[in-house]
Amino acid sequence: KLRAVIGDFPDPMYNVQQNPDIANFRITETPVFIITGSNDYWIEPSSSGWADFMMTDSKNKVFICMHGAGHLEPTMYHSEGPFIAYFAQYYALGNVTAGRLIYGDGPGTLQKTLPLAEPGDHNRGDNTVSFLACSEGAPAVPLNFEAYCSDTLGLRAVEVIFD
């Protein structure tokens, strides 16, 4: 069984050239982690990481836009690498400590370790969200973006973003 999906500077899943079966693209239960960067101008379409995040109806999903990170971040620096491993460990192995590093807000956590996109940066979710962690049965982190966690618009949200 697939335990988690991680999109590290992912392809736009709303694009028929990347996803030939958009009508049946549904992630409803599998946890999803989307990572993008504010300097990803030349490969990733604007806001496509956020659109991918919004296409998923999973109750367990995380979005981060890293300040200053470009599309080659995963191959050049890979500062997000440990958090990819923590996300996988939490959902595949039940490692509670790894889960706290993803969903928590203390020292060493995802949102306190990686540089979050700043106001005005490219690729932030809805031009305001640099980090959002949604977890079933728990409040969103940060709480002020909770509405995005319960949004079940799926593909309709993507249509709104790109109309």
Side-chain angles (χ1 to χ4, degrees):
K1 177 181 177 186
L2 187 63
R3 302 280 183 187
V5 173
I6 300 156
D8 196 7
F9 292 77
D11 291 332
M13 297 314 302
Y14 55 85
N15 181 323
V16 71
Q17 293 175 340
Q18 305 291 327
N19 180 2
D21 193 14
I22 293 171
N24 292 307
F25 180 84
R26 295 284 182 265
I27 300 176
T28 58
E29 295 179 21
T30 306
V32 177
F33 184 14
I34 302 289
I35 306 154
T36 191
S38 66
N39 282 355
D40 194 354
Y41 287 99
W42 59 283
I43 294 180
E44 181 181 320
S46 183
S47 298
S48 66
W50 180 251
D52 287 350
F53 179 83
M54 293 302 293
M55 283 177 71
T56 66
D57 291 330
S58 175
K59 301 285 187 223
N60 300 297
K61 58 185 182 177
V62 176
F63 172 84
I64 186 168
C65 181
M66 298 179 355
H67 177 72
H71 197 78
L72 297 180
E73 167 72 23
T75 59
M76 302 289 287
Y77 308 105
H78 212 355
S79 58
E80 72 280 18
F83 295 98
I84 290 172
Y86 298 146
F87 190 83
Q89 288 174 5
Y90 181 56
Y91 286 105
L93 305 174
N95 181 334
V96 175
T97 301
R100 281 195 292 268
L101 292 170
I102 296 296
Y103 290 98
D105 64 356
T109 61
L110 174 62
Q111 67 170 314
K112 300 291 184 180
T113 303
L114 297 182
L116 298 181
E118 299 170 357
D121 275 355
H122 184 68
N123 284 331
R124 292 173 77 215
D126 208 14
N127 294 315
T128 59
V129 181
S130 298
F131 173 78
L132 177 58
C134 307
S135 180
E136 187 171 15
V141 179
L143 189 56
N144 58 314
F145 294 134
E146 179 134 24
Y148 293 113
C149 294
S150 60
D151 183 4
T152 57
L153 294 175
L155 289 174
R156 291 177 305 233
V158 175
E159 292 167 2
V160 170
I161 291 170
F162 293 98
D163 272 350

